[in-house]
Amino acid sequence: MSKTIGSGACGEVKLAFEKSTCKKVAVKIISKKKFSLSSSSLDQSMSVHTEIEILKKTSHPCLIKIEDFIDSDDYFYIVLELMEGGELFEKVAKSRLKESTVKLYFYQIVTAVQYLHDNGIIHRDLKLENVLLSSVNEECCIKITDFGQSKILGETSLMRTLCGTPTYLAPEVLNTAGTGGYSRAVDYWSLGVILFVCLSGYPPFSESNCNIPLKDQITGGLYNFIPAAWEHVSQPALDLVKKLLVVDPEKRLTTKKALEHPWLQDDEMKSITERLMYDIVHPMPPPSQHFMSRKRGHEVDPDASTSTSSDTSTTQYDKRTKKVTNL
């Protein structure tokens, strides 16, 4: 076990090395003691096991891969592949992404979410922080992580739990406060929020907007449109955002329809995606180059924000059926 590369309310993520091979991995360490201090400790414990169940049953190049799971007396240890590029949130916060880069990342995110839905899994907490990058290179494979809020469902199942991150929550979740039924369309909405932020550099709904409460912004579909931030964004890209951020879940664009949208009909982008997802393992640049490009005197060590990696195996994923073979 090595340095801490991330932390949360009930634990931390550490860089670690497999002794026999020196392969780098990320170890998510969750304290059972901190769970016991919470009234919802049972729910939290169940969420850990849900995450493990999902990670073991899924195999897609754009979903984080589990290496091992240890349930000790005091801790849960989830060993995951290491994602060298950190969170998409950090990349967006640092500088404005080119539209072509956003398209490359978003296409991968949508294919992964469609795969989850095809296998009866709704993520429920899609956000920039839960999208990880395989390398610091502009062209890289992305992976969705953090399935603690996810729900494994039958085709007709509905969810009735209020969960997720407020800024990314769909209107139907807030309207019912968890008492009504809502479906996989909650993920479609979150995809719209992710795309909005990646293209514009700011969130569509924010508590910093003092004129309208956050809940009213979301339930009314009143996203904050700043023309100057969208000047260089193409109309097809904006059109896709608008079709995902539709208040009525029945009229919201599905992942299948999103993949058919004109903005994502880009053969060059799809060719790059295929290469990244199925053929290439992304090496890190030499240490000196890495630190020169990402660290300045006044900045925090960028490795401290690295999350969970890219030595990806896709042998269990059938591209034709989009199903896992071991379910």
Side-chain angles (χ1 to χ4, degrees):
M1 297 284 263
S2 183
K3 64 182 178 182
T4 299
I5 54 178
S7 60
C10 294
E12 58 185 350
V13 179
K14 282 185 175 288
L15 173 66
F17 298 84
E18 188 175 45
K19 286 184 178 178
S20 59
T21 64
C22 286
K23 174 185 174 182
K24 290 190 287 186
V25 293
V27 181
K28 190 174 181 179
I29 306 167
I30 301 168
S31 167
K32 292 182 177 179
K33 188 177 289 184
K34 288 181 180 177
F35 275 170
S36 67
L37 298 176
S38 168
S39 58
S40 58
S41 60
L42 179 60
D43 290 340
Q44 291 172 318
S45 183
M46 285 175 65
S47 77
V48 172
H49 288 284
T50 298
E51 181 167 8
I52 297 307
E53 185 180 353
I54 289 170
L55 287 169
K56 283 183 175 178
K57 285 186 174 181
T58 56
S59 180
H60 186 282
C62 294
L63 296 177
I64 201 73
K65 180 172 173 269
I66 187 169
E67 303 279 352
D68 201 357
F69 174 62
I70 300 99
D71 185 351
S72 71
D73 290 340
D74 299 318
Y75 298 95
F76 294 113
Y77 296 90
I78 307 174
V79 184
L80 302 162
E81 55 180 334
L82 179 71
M83 294 295 279
E84 303 274 17
E87 298 173 357
L88 180 56
F89 175 84
E90 295 161 352
K91 197 173 187 78
V92 172
K94 184 182 294 185
S95 63
R96 183 77 172 268
L97 298 182
K98 293 186 294 187
E99 187 172 321
S100 59
T101 303
V102 175
K103 187 186 295 187
L104 179 68
Y105 295 167
F106 192 69
Y107 182 77
Q108 294 180 67
I109 295 168
V110 178
T111 57
V113 174
Q114 183 178 25
Y115 167 86
L116 288 173
H117 291 180
D118 285 347
N119 286 280
I121 300 164
I122 300 176
H123 191 284
R124 300 202 294 183
D125 197 20
L126 292 169
K127 55 184 176 180
L128 292 171
E129 294 89 335
N130 287 340
V131 177
L132 307 178
L133 307 172
S134 63
S135 81
V136 296
N137 300 326
E138 195 76 6
E139 285 185 4
C140 66
C141 193
I142 67 90
K143 291 180 188 277
I144 294 173
T145 188
D146 201 345
F147 294 89
Q149 302 279 21
S150 299
K151 190 76 172 178
I152 303 174
L153 303 165
E155 282 300 309
T156 58
S157 297
L158 291 173
M159 302 170 296
R160 290 181 171 80
T161 309
L162 183 61
C163 67
T165 304
T167 328
Y168 293 83
L169 282 178
E172 60 268 29
V173 182
L174 294 172
N175 277 329
T176 61
T179 60
Y182 50 99
S183 66
R184 67 192 67 196
V186 298
D187 282 351
Y188 307 152
W189 178 273
S190 298
L191 287 171
V193 176
I194 288 171
L195 183 56
F196 188 108
V197 177
C198 287
L199 289 169
S200 69
Y202 70 94
F205 313 104
S206 172
E207 289 176 323
S208 63
N209 182 348
C210 303
N211 298 325
I212 310 171
L214 180 61
K215 180 183 176 182
D216 294 344
Q217 293 174 47
I218 295 170
T219 55
L222 305 172
Y223 46 80
N224 181 22
F225 189 82
I226 303 171
W230 291 87
E231 303 186 309
H232 304 295
V233 176
S234 70
Q235 279 303 121
L238 178 57
D239 181 69
L240 180 52
V241 171
K242 289 178 177 178
K243 287 178 176 173
L244 287 166
L245 293 180
V246 173
V247 172
D248 184 347
E250 296 295 322
K251 296 177 181 176
R252 200 173 297 151
L253 212 63
T254 65
T255 48
K256 184 176 183 298
K257 291 293 184 184
L259 290 170
E260 294 170 358
H261 189 274
W263 187 61
L264 293 178
Q265 305 319 301
D266 182 331
D267 291 338
E268 184 182 358
M269 176 273 292
K270 289 182 181 181
S271 175
I272 294 170
T273 300
E274 287 287 310
R275 173 171 57 81
L276 292 170
M277 287 167 63
Y278 299 107
D279 300 329
I280 303 293
V281 173
H282 312 279
M284 282 293 286
S288 58
Q289 177 187 336
H290 173 58
F291 286 108
M292 284 171 64
S293 63
R294 293 194 66 198
K295 186 178 180 182
R296 298 180 180 85
H298 63 281
E299 290 180 342
V300 177
D301 182 348
D303 283 348
S305 61
T306 304
S307 301
T308 58
S309 161
S310 75
D311 184 14
T312 236
S313 169
T314 61
T315 54
Q316 292 174 297
Y317 178 66
D318 187 329
K319 287 189 279 184
R320 292 167 300 172
T321 61
K322 295 185 176 64
K323 299 286 184 182
V324 286
T325 57
N326 61 344
L327 281 178

